Structure formats: C-alpha cells, structure tokens
Coordinates of all heavy atoms in Angstrom, one line a residue:
M1 N -5.1 12.6 -23.4 CA -5.3 11.3 -22.7 C -4.2 11.1 -21.7 O -3.1 11.3 -21.9 CB -5.2 10.2 -23.8 CG -5.5 8.8 -23.2 SD -5.7 7.6 -24.6 CE -5.8 6.2 -23.6
Q2 N -4.7 10.7 -20.5 CA -3.7 10.5 -19.4 C -3.1 9.1 -19.5 O -3.6 8.1 -19.9 CB -4.5 10.6 -18.0 CG -5.0 11.9 -17.8 CD -5.8 12.0 -16.5 OE1 -6.2 11.0 -15.9 NE2 -5.9 13.2 -15.9
K3 N -1.8 9.1 -19.1 CA -1.0 7.8 -19.1 C -1.1 7.2 -17.7 O -1.4 7.9 -16.7 CB 0.4 8.1 -19.4 CG 0.7 8.8 -20.7 CD 2.1 9.2 -20.8 CE 2.3 10.5 -20.1 NZ 3.7 11.0 -20.2
E4 N -1.0 5.9 -17.6 CA -0.9 5.2 -16.3 C 0.5 4.8 -16.1 O 1.1 4.1 -16.9 CB -1.9 4.0 -16.3 CG -1.9 3.3 -15.0 CD -2.8 2.1 -15.0 OE1 -2.5 1.1 -15.5 OE2 -3.9 2.3 -14.4
T5 N 1.1 5.2 -15.0 CA 2.5 4.8 -14.7 C 2.5 3.4 -14.2 O 1.5 2.9 -13.7 CB 3.1 5.8 -13.7 OG1 2.3 5.8 -12.5 CG2 3.1 7.3 -14.3
N6 N 3.7 2.9 -14.1 CA 3.9 1.6 -13.5 C 3.5 1.6 -12.0 O 3.0 0.6 -11.5 CB 5.4 1.2 -13.6 CG 5.8 0.8 -15.0 OD1 5.0 0.3 -15.8 ND2 7.0 1.2 -15.4
L7 N 3.8 2.7 -11.4 CA 3.4 2.9 -10.0 C 1.9 2.7 -9.8 O 1.4 1.9 -8.9 CB 3.8 4.2 -9.4 CG 3.3 4.5 -8.0 CD1 3.9 3.5 -7.0 CD2 3.7 6.0 -7.6
R8 N 1.1 3.4 -10.6 CA -0.4 3.2 -10.5 C -0.8 1.8 -10.8 O -1.7 1.3 -10.0 CB -1.1 4.2 -11.4 CG -2.6 4.2 -11.2 CD -3.2 5.3 -12.1 NE -4.6 5.2 -12.1 CZ -5.4 5.8 -11.2 NH1 -4.9 6.4 -10.2 NH2 -6.7 5.6 -11.3
A9 N -0.3 1.2 -11.8 CA -0.7 -0.1 -12.2 C -0.4 -1.1 -11.1 O -1.2 -2.0 -10.7 CB 0.0 -0.5 -13.5
L10 N 0.8 -1.0 -10.5 CA 1.3 -1.8 -9.4 C 0.4 -1.6 -8.2 O -0.1 -2.6 -7.6 CB 2.7 -1.5 -9.1 CG 3.4 -2.3 -8.0 CD1 3.6 -3.7 -8.5 CD2 4.7 -1.7 -7.6
R11 N 0.1 -0.4 -7.9 CA -0.7 -0.1 -6.7 C -2.1 -0.7 -6.8 O -2.6 -1.3 -5.9 CB -0.8 1.5 -6.5 CG -1.6 1.9 -5.3 CD -1.6 3.4 -5.1 NE -2.3 4.1 -6.2 CZ -3.6 4.2 -6.3 NH1 -4.4 3.5 -5.5 NH2 -4.2 4.9 -7.3
L12 N -2.7 -0.5 -8.0 CA -4.0 -1.0 -8.2 C -4.1 -2.5 -8.2 O -5.0 -3.2 -7.7 CB -4.6 -0.5 -9.5 CG -4.9 1.1 -9.5 CD1 -5.3 1.5 -10.9 CD2 -5.9 1.4 -8.4
R13 N -3.1 -3.2 -8.8 CA -3.0 -4.6 -8.9 C -2.9 -5.3 -7.5 O -3.4 -6.3 -7.3 CB -1.8 -5.1 -9.7 CG -2.1 -5.5 -11.1 CD -1.0 -6.3 -11.8 NE 0.3 -5.8 -11.5 CZ 1.0 -4.9 -12.3 NH1 0.3 -4.3 -13.2 NH2 2.2 -4.5 -12.0
H14 N -2.3 -4.5 -6.6 CA -2.1 -5.1 -5.3 C -3.0 -4.5 -4.2 O -2.7 -4.7 -3.0 CB -0.6 -5.0 -4.9 CG 0.2 -5.9 -5.8 ND1 0.4 -7.3 -5.5 CD2 0.9 -5.7 -6.9 CE1 1.1 -7.8 -6.5 NE2 1.4 -6.8 -7.3
G15 N -3.9 -3.7 -4.6 CA -4.9 -3.1 -3.6 C -4.3 -2.2 -2.6 O -4.8 -2.1 -1.5
V16 N -3.3 -1.4 -3.1 CA -2.7 -0.4 -2.2 C -3.5 0.9 -2.4 O -3.6 1.4 -3.5 CB -1.2 -0.2 -2.5 CG1 -0.7 1.0 -1.7 CG2 -0.4 -1.4 -2.3
Q17 N -4.2 1.4 -1.4 CA -5.0 2.6 -1.5 C -4.0 3.8 -1.6 O -2.9 3.8 -1.1 CB -5.8 2.8 -0.2 CG -6.8 1.7 0.0 CD -7.9 1.7 -1.0 OE1 -8.4 2.8 -1.4 NE2 -8.3 0.6 -1.5
L18 N -4.5 4.8 -2.4 CA -3.8 6.0 -2.6 C -3.4 6.7 -1.3 O -2.3 7.1 -1.1 CB -4.6 6.9 -3.5 CG -3.9 8.2 -4.0 CD1 -2.7 7.8 -4.9 CD2 -4.8 9.1 -4.8
T19 N -4.3 6.6 -0.3 CA -4.1 7.3 1.0 C -3.0 6.5 1.7 O -2.2 7.2 2.4 CB -5.3 7.3 1.8 OG1 -5.9 6.0 1.9 CG2 -6.4 8.3 1.2
E20 N -2.9 5.2 1.6 CA -1.9 4.4 2.2 C -0.5 4.8 1.7 O 0.5 5.0 2.5 CB -2.1 2.9 2.0 CG -1.2 2.0 2.7 CD -1.5 0.5 2.5 OE1 -2.3 0.2 1.7 OE2 -0.9 -0.3 3.2
L21 N -0.4 4.9 0.4 CA 0.9 5.3 -0.2 C 1.2 6.7 0.1 O 2.4 7.0 0.4 CB 0.8 5.0 -1.7 CG 2.1 5.1 -2.5 CD1 3.1 4.1 -2.0 CD2 1.9 4.9 -4.0
A22 N 0.3 7.6 0.0 CA 0.5 9.0 0.3 C 1.0 9.2 1.7 O 2.0 9.9 2.0 CB -0.8 9.8 0.1
D23 N 0.4 8.4 2.6 CA 0.9 8.5 4.0 C 2.3 8.0 4.2 O 3.1 8.6 4.9 CB 0.0 7.6 4.9 CG 0.4 7.6 6.4 OD1 0.5 8.7 7.0 OD2 0.6 6.5 6.9
A24 N 2.7 7.0 3.4 CA 4.0 6.4 3.5 C 5.1 7.3 3.0 O 6.2 7.3 3.4 CB 4.0 5.1 2.8
C25 N 4.7 8.2 2.0 CA 5.7 9.1 1.4 C 5.6 10.5 1.8 O 6.5 11.3 1.4 CB 5.7 8.9 -0.1 SG 4.2 9.5 -0.9
G26 N 4.6 10.9 2.5 CA 4.4 12.2 3.0 C 4.0 13.2 2.0 O 4.2 14.4 2.1
L27 N 3.3 12.7 0.9 CA 2.8 13.6 -0.1 C 1.3 13.6 0.0 O 0.7 12.7 0.5 CB 3.2 13.1 -1.5 CG 4.7 13.1 -1.8 CD1 5.0 12.4 -3.1 CD2 5.3 14.5 -1.8
S28 N 0.6 14.6 -0.6 CA -0.8 14.6 -0.5 C -1.4 13.6 -1.6 O -0.7 13.3 -2.5 CB -1.3 16.0 -0.9 OG -1.1 16.3 -2.3
N29 N -2.6 13.2 -1.3 CA -3.3 12.3 -2.2 C -3.3 12.9 -3.6 O -3.1 12.2 -4.6 CB -4.7 12.0 -1.8 CG -4.7 11.2 -0.5 OD1 -3.7 10.8 0.0 ND2 -5.9 11.0 0.0
Q30 N -3.6 14.2 -3.7 CA -3.8 14.9 -5.0 C -2.5 14.9 -5.8 O -2.4 14.6 -7.0 CB -4.3 16.3 -4.8 CG -5.7 16.4 -4.2 CD -5.7 16.2 -2.7 OE1 -4.7 16.2 -2.0 NE2 -6.9 16.2 -2.1
Y31 N -1.4 15.2 -5.1 CA -0.1 15.3 -5.7 C 0.3 13.9 -6.2 O 0.8 13.7 -7.4 CB 1.0 15.8 -4.8 CG 2.3 16.0 -5.4 CD1 2.6 17.2 -6.1 CD2 3.3 15.0 -5.4 CE1 3.8 17.4 -6.7 CE2 4.5 15.2 -6.0 CZ 4.8 16.4 -6.7 OH 6.0 16.6 -7.3
L32 N 0.1 12.9 -5.4 CA 0.5 11.5 -5.7 C -0.3 11.0 -6.9 O 0.2 10.4 -7.8 CB 0.3 10.6 -4.5 CG 0.7 9.2 -4.7 CD1 2.2 9.1 -5.2 CD2 0.6 8.4 -3.4
S33 N -1.6 11.3 -6.9 CA -2.5 10.9 -8.0 C -2.0 11.6 -9.3 O -1.9 10.9 -10.3 CB -3.9 11.4 -7.7 OG -4.7 11.0 -8.8
R34 N -1.7 12.8 -9.3 CA -1.2 13.5 -10.5 C 0.2 12.9 -10.9 O 0.4 12.7 -12.1 CB -1.1 15.0 -10.2 CG -2.4 15.7 -10.1 CD -2.3 17.2 -9.8 NE -1.4 17.9 -10.6 CZ -1.8 18.4 -11.8 NH1 -3.0 18.2 -12.3 NH2 -0.9 19.1 -12.6
A35 N 1.0 12.6 -10.0 CA 2.3 12.0 -10.3 C 2.1 10.6 -11.0 O 2.8 10.3 -12.0 CB 3.2 11.9 -9.1
E36 N 1.2 9.8 -10.4 CA 1.1 8.5 -11.0 C 0.3 8.4 -12.3 O 0.2 7.4 -12.9 CB 0.6 7.5 -9.9 CG -0.8 7.6 -9.5 CD -1.2 6.5 -8.5 OE1 -0.4 5.9 -7.9 OE2 -2.4 6.4 -8.3
L37 N -0.3 9.5 -12.6 CA -1.0 9.6 -13.9 C -0.1 10.3 -15.0 O -0.5 10.5 -16.1 CB -2.3 10.4 -13.8 CG -3.4 9.7 -13.1 CD1 -4.6 10.7 -12.8 CD2 -3.9 8.5 -13.8
G38 N 1.2 10.6 -14.5 CA 2.1 11.2 -15.5 C 1.9 12.7 -15.7 O 2.4 13.2 -16.7
L39 N 1.2 13.3 -14.8 CA 0.9 14.7 -15.0 C 2.0 15.6 -14.3 O 2.0 16.8 -14.5 CB -0.5 15.1 -14.4 CG -1.6 14.3 -15.1 CD1 -2.9 14.6 -14.4 CD2 -1.7 14.7 -16.6
I40 N 2.8 15.0 -13.5 CA 3.9 15.7 -12.8 C 5.2 15.1 -13.3 O 5.4 13.9 -13.4 CB 3.8 15.5 -11.3 CG1 2.6 16.3 -10.8 CG2 5.0 16.0 -10.6 CD1 2.3 16.1 -9.4
P41 N 6.2 16.0 -13.7 CA 7.4 15.5 -14.2 C 8.2 14.5 -13.2 O 8.2 14.8 -12.0 CB 8.3 16.7 -14.5 CG 7.3 17.8 -14.5 CD 6.2 17.4 -13.6
A42 N 8.6 13.4 -13.8 CA 9.4 12.5 -13.0 C 10.8 13.0 -12.7 O 11.4 13.5 -13.6 CB 9.5 11.1 -13.7
T43 N 11.2 13.0 -11.4 CA 12.5 13.4 -11.1 C 13.2 12.2 -10.3 O 12.4 11.4 -9.7 CB 12.5 14.6 -10.2 OG1 11.9 14.3 -8.9 CG2 11.8 15.8 -10.8
A44 N 14.5 12.2 -10.2 CA 15.1 11.2 -9.4 C 14.7 11.2 -8.0 O 14.5 10.2 -7.3 CB 16.7 11.4 -9.6
R45 N 14.5 12.4 -7.4 CA 14.1 12.6 -6.0 C 12.8 12.0 -5.8 O 12.5 11.3 -4.8 CB 14.2 14.1 -5.7 CG 13.8 14.3 -4.2 CD 13.9 15.8 -3.9 NE 13.6 16.0 -2.5 CZ 12.6 16.7 -2.1 NH1 11.8 17.3 -2.9 NH2 12.3 16.9 -0.8
L46 N 11.8 12.3 -6.7 CA 10.4 11.8 -6.5 C 10.4 10.3 -6.7 O 9.7 9.6 -5.9 CB 9.5 12.5 -7.6 CG 8.0 12.1 -7.5 CD1 7.4 12.3 -6.1 CD2 7.3 12.8 -8.6
E47 N 11.2 9.8 -7.7 CA 11.2 8.3 -7.9 C 11.7 7.6 -6.6 O 11.2 6.6 -6.2 CB 12.2 8.0 -9.0 CG 12.4 6.6 -9.3 CD 11.3 5.9 -10.0 OE1 10.5 6.5 -10.7 OE2 11.2 4.6 -9.9
K48 N 12.8 8.2 -6.0 CA 13.4 7.6 -4.8 C 12.4 7.7 -3.6 O 12.2 6.7 -2.9 CB 14.6 8.4 -4.4 CG 15.4 7.8 -3.2 CD 16.7 8.6 -2.9 CE 17.3 8.1 -1.7 NZ 18.6 8.8 -1.4
Q49 N 11.7 8.8 -3.5 CA 10.7 9.0 -2.5 C 9.5 8.0 -2.6 O 9.1 7.3 -1.6 CB 10.1 10.4 -2.5 CG 9.2 10.8 -1.3 CD 8.8 12.3 -1.4 OE1 9.1 13.0 -2.4 NE2 8.2 12.7 -0.3
L50 N 9.1 7.8 -3.8 CA 8.0 6.8 -4.1 C 8.4 5.4 -3.9 O 7.7 4.6 -3.4 CB 7.4 7.0 -5.5 CG 6.7 8.4 -5.6 CD1 6.3 8.6 -7.1 CD2 5.5 8.5 -4.7
L51 N 9.6 5.1 -4.3 CA 10.2 3.7 -4.1 C 10.2 3.4 -2.6 O 9.8 2.3 -2.2 CB 11.6 3.6 -4.7 CG 12.3 2.3 -4.5 CD1 11.5 1.1 -5.1 CD2 13.7 2.3 -5.1
G52 N 10.7 4.4 -1.8 CA 10.8 4.2 -0.4 C 9.4 4.0 0.2 O 9.2 3.2 1.1
A53 N 8.4 4.7 -0.3 CA 7.0 4.6 0.2 C 6.4 3.2 -0.1 O 5.8 2.6 0.7 CB 6.1 5.7 -0.5
V54 N 6.7 2.7 -1.3 CA 6.2 1.3 -1.7 C 6.9 0.3 -0.8 O 6.2 -0.6 -0.2 CB 6.4 1.0 -3.1 CG1 6.1 -0.4 -3.5 CG2 5.6 2.0 -4.0
E55 N 8.2 0.5 -0.5 CA 8.9 -0.5 0.4 C 8.3 -0.4 1.8 O 8.2 -1.4 2.5 CB 10.4 -0.2 0.4 CG 11.0 -0.6 -1.0 CD 12.4 -0.2 -1.1 OE1 12.9 0.8 -0.4 OE2 13.1 -0.7 -2.0
T56 N 7.9 0.8 2.2 CA 7.3 1.0 3.6 C 6.0 0.3 3.6 O 5.7 -0.4 4.6 CB 7.1 2.5 3.9 OG1 8.4 3.1 3.9 CG2 6.4 2.7 5.2
V57 N 5.2 0.4 2.6 CA 3.9 -0.3 2.6 C 4.1 -1.8 2.6 O 3.4 -2.5 3.4 CB 3.1 0.1 1.3 CG1 1.9 -0.8 1.1 CG2 2.6 1.6 1.4
I58 N 5.1 -2.3 1.9 CA 5.3 -3.7 1.9 C 5.7 -4.2 3.3 O 5.2 -5.2 3.8 CB 6.5 -4.1 0.9 CG1 6.0 -3.9 -0.5 CG2 7.0 -5.5 1.1 CD1 7.0 -3.9 -1.6
A59 N 6.6 -3.4 4.0 CA 7.0 -3.8 5.3 C 5.9 -3.7 6.3 O 5.7 -4.6 7.1 CB 8.1 -2.8 5.8
R60 N 5.0 -2.7 6.2 CA 3.9 -2.6 7.1 C 2.9 -3.8 6.9 O 2.4 -4.4 7.9 CB 3.1 -1.3 6.9 CG 3.8 -0.1 7.4 CD 3.1 1.1 7.1 NE 3.7 2.4 7.5 CZ 3.4 3.6 7.2 NH1 2.3 3.8 6.4 NH2 4.1 4.6 7.6
R61 N 2.7 -4.1 5.6 CA 1.8 -5.3 5.4 C 2.4 -6.6 5.8 O 1.6 -7.5 6.2 CB 1.4 -5.3 3.9 CG 0.5 -4.1 3.5 CD 0.1 -4.2 2.1 NE -1.0 -3.3 1.8 CZ -1.8 -3.4 0.8 NH1 -1.7 -4.4 0.0 NH2 -2.8 -2.5 0.7
A62 N 3.7 -6.7 5.7 CA 4.3 -8.0 6.2 C 4.1 -8.1 7.7 O 3.8 -9.2 8.2 CB 5.8 -8.0 5.8
D63 N 4.3 -7.0 8.4 CA 4.1 -7.0 9.9 C 2.6 -7.4 10.2 O 2.3 -8.2 11.1 CB 4.4 -5.7 10.5 CG 5.9 -5.4 10.5 OD1 6.7 -6.3 10.3 OD2 6.2 -4.2 10.7
T64 N 1.7 -6.8 9.5 CA 0.3 -7.1 9.7 C -0.1 -8.5 9.4 O -0.8 -9.2 10.1 CB -0.6 -6.1 8.9 OG1 -0.3 -4.8 9.2 CG2 -2.1 -6.4 9.1
A65 N 0.5 -9.0 8.3 CA 0.2 -10.4 7.9 C 0.8 -11.4 8.9 O 0.2 -12.4 9.3 CB 0.8 -10.7 6.5
Q66 N 2.0 -11.1 9.5 CA 2.6 -11.9 10.5 C 1.7 -11.9 11.8 O 1.5 -13.0 12.4 CB 4.0 -11.5 10.8 CG 4.7 -12.4 11.7 CD 6.2 -12.0 11.9 OE1 6.6 -10.9 11.6 NE2 7.0 -12.9 12.5
A67 N 1.2 -10.8 12.2 CA 0.4 -10.7 13.3 C -0.9 -11.5 13.1 O -1.4 -12.2 14.0 CB 0.1 -9.3 13.7
L68 N -1.5 -11.4 12.0 CA -2.7 -12.2 11.6 C -2.4 -13.7 11.7 O -3.2 -14.4 12.3 CB -3.2 -11.8 10.2 CG -4.4 -12.6 9.7 CD1 -5.6 -12.4 10.6 CD2 -4.7 -12.1 8.3
E69 N -1.3 -14.1 11.1 CA -1.0 -15.5 11.1 C -0.8 -16.0 12.6 O -1.3 -17.1 12.9 CB 0.3 -15.7 10.3 CG 0.7 -17.2 10.2 CD 1.9 -17.4 9.3 OE1 2.6 -16.4 9.1 OE2 2.1 -18.6 8.9
Q70 N -0.2 -15.2 13.4 CA 0.0 -15.6 14.8 C -1.3 -15.8 15.6 O -1.5 -16.7 16.4 CB 1.0 -14.7 15.5 CG 2.4 -14.8 15.1 CD 3.3 -13.7 15.7 OE1 2.8 -12.8 16.3 NE2 4.6 -13.9 15.5
E71 N -2.2 -14.8 15.3 CA -3.5 -14.9 16.0 C -4.4 -16.0 15.4 O -5.2 -16.6 16.1 CB -4.3 -13.6 15.8 CG -3.7 -12.5 16.6 CD -4.6 -11.2 16.6 OE1 -5.8 -11.3 16.7 OE2 -4.0 -10.1 16.4
L72 N -4.1 -16.4 14.2 CA -4.9 -17.5 13.6 C -4.6 -18.9 14.2 O -5.5 -19.7 14.3 CB -4.7 -17.5 12.0 CG -5.3 -18.7 11.3 CD1 -6.8 -18.6 11.3 CD2 -4.8 -18.6 9.8
Q73 N -3.3 -19.1 14.5 CA -2.9 -20.4 14.9 C -3.8 -21.0 16.0 O -4.2 -22.1 15.9 CB -1.4 -20.4 15.4 CG -0.4 -20.1 14.3 CD -0.6 -21.0 13.0 OE1 -0.8 -22.2 13.2 NE2 -0.5 -20.4 11.9
P74 N -4.0 -20.3 17.1 CA -4.8 -21.0 18.2 C -6.3 -21.1 17.8 O -7.1 -21.7 18.5 CB -4.6 -20.1 19.4 CG -4.2 -18.8 18.8 CD -3.5 -19.1 17.6
L75 N -6.7 -20.4 16.7 CA -8.1 -20.5 16.4 C -8.5 -21.5 15.3 O -9.6 -21.6 14.9 CB -8.6 -19.1 15.9 CG -8.4 -17.9 16.9 CD1 -8.8 -16.6 16.2 CD2 -9.3 -18.2 18.1
R76 N -7.5 -22.2 14.8 CA -7.7 -23.3 13.8 C -8.7 -24.3 14.4 O -8.6 -24.8 15.5 CB -6.4 -24.0 13.5 CG -5.5 -23.2 12.7 CD -4.2 -23.9 12.2 NE -3.3 -23.1 11.5 CZ -3.4 -22.8 10.2 NH1 -4.4 -23.4 9.5 NH2 -2.5 -22.0 9.6
G77 N -9.7 -24.5 13.5 CA -10.8 -25.4 13.9 C -11.9 -24.8 14.8 O -12.9 -25.4 15.2
R78 N -11.7 -23.5 15.1 CA -12.7 -22.8 15.9 C -13.1 -21.4 15.4 O -13.5 -20.6 16.1 CB -12.1 -22.6 17.3 CG -11.7 -23.8 18.0 CD -11.1 -23.6 19.5 NE -10.1 -22.6 19.5 CZ -10.2 -21.5 20.4 NH1 -11.2 -21.4 21.2 NH2 -9.2 -20.7 20.4
L79 N -12.8 -21.3 14.1 CA -13.1 -19.9 13.5 C -14.5 -19.5 13.5 O -14.8 -18.3 13.6 CB -12.6 -20.0 12.0 CG -11.1 -20.0 11.8 CD1 -10.8 -20.1 10.3 CD2 -10.5 -18.7 12.4
L80 N -15.5 -20.4 13.6 CA -16.9 -20.0 13.6 C -17.5 -20.0 15.0 O -18.7 -19.8 15.1 CB -17.7 -20.8 12.6 CG -17.2 -20.6 11.1 CD1 -18.0 -21.6 10.2 CD2 -17.3 -19.2 10.7
E81 N -16.7 -20.2 16.0 CA -17.1 -20.1 17.4 C -17.3 -18.7 17.7 O -16.6 -17.8 17.2 CB -16.2 -20.8 18.3 CG -16.1 -22.3 18.2 CD -15.1 -22.9 19.2 OE1 -14.6 -22.2 20.1 OE2 -14.8 -24.1 19.1
V82 N -18.2 -18.4 18.7 CA -18.4 -17.0 19.2 C -17.1 -16.6 19.9 O -16.6 -17.3 20.7 CB -19.6 -17.0 20.1 CG1 -19.8 -15.6 20.7 CG2 -20.9 -17.4 19.4
S83 N -16.7 -15.4 19.5 CA -15.5 -14.8 20.1 C -15.7 -14.4 21.5 O -16.8 -14.0 21.9 CB -15.1 -13.6 19.3 OG -14.0 -12.9 19.9
G84 N -14.6 -14.4 22.3 CA -14.7 -14.0 23.7 C -14.6 -12.5 23.8 O -14.5 -12.0 24.9
G85 N -14.7 -11.8 22.7 CA -14.7 -10.3 22.8 C -13.3 -9.7 22.9 O -13.1 -8.5 23.2
E86 N -12.3 -10.5 22.6 CA -10.9 -10.0 22.7 C -10.5 -9.1 21.5 O -10.9 -9.3 20.4 CB -9.9 -11.2 22.8 CG -10.3 -12.0 24.0 CD -9.8 -13.4 23.9 OE1 -9.1 -13.8 22.9 OE2 -10.0 -14.2 24.8

C-alpha cells in the first residue's frame, strides 16, 4: 500500500498541479510523483529542493493573484459587460 506524504496532501488540498511543482523544482513529473508517494527515499537535499519549489509556487501565485486584483479594480460593476478584446 502506498503512503501519501505531507507534500502530496498539501499539493492536492491547494490545487497545485504536479506539473506546476515539477517545473518549479526541475524534476520530472514521474520522479516527483514517486517521491510524494513515499516510493523514493527522503533525503535532506530532496526535502530542500521540494521546499524551495513549493515556495516558488506560492510566490508565482501571489504575483498572479495581485495582477488579477489590479485588473479587477476598474471592472467593478461592469463584469458582465462585453469586453473590448483586451
């Protein structure tokens, strides 16, 4: 029976795609999947690499959320109007 690591549970709870995390840490999807299922031995180096990847995802999402918020401001009260194609 496969174990679910904290990384996998966290990723799934917050809708982080495996490809997004793999891109952030430079590992293949397959390797990352095996690691987060506990099929690859945990090492301090891998833990550090994965922690950095999660922090990268958080930072990227914060930037995206901020950009969305900025674009939303002038559209308040006009969300269902036809867009100018911008």
Side-chain angles (χ1 to χ4, degrees):
M1 184 172 174
Q2 293 178 340
K3 301 173 280 184
E4 182 179 79
T5 60
N6 290 325
L7 174 62
R8 183 176 173 85
L10 183 69
R11 182 177 66 75
L12 293 175
R13 261 195 317 274
H14 293 277
V16 176
Q17 296 294 317
L18 188 62
T19 54
E20 182 180 10
L21 191 58
D23 177 58
C25 66
L27 298 172
S28 72
N29 293 355
Q30 296 82 5
Y31 185 87
L32 184 54
S33 178
R34 291 176 51 81
E36 69 177 17
L37 289 172
L39 301 175
I40 291 176
T43 64
R45 180 175 182 246
L46 181 57
E47 177 78 21
K48 183 177 178 181
Q49 189 174 10
L50 294 173
L51 177 61
V54 172
E55 290 171 340
T56 297
V57 168
I58 291 168
R60 286 178 183 169
R61 287 183 171 203
D63 290 344
T64 301
Q66 186 176 13
L68 173 61
E69 185 177 16
Q70 289 174 350
E71 287 187 45
L72 174 64
Q73 294 308 320
L75 299 176
R76 288 185 182 275
R78 303 183 310 127
L79 287 175
L80 297 178
E81 290 179 10
V82 175
S83 173
E86 299 158 1

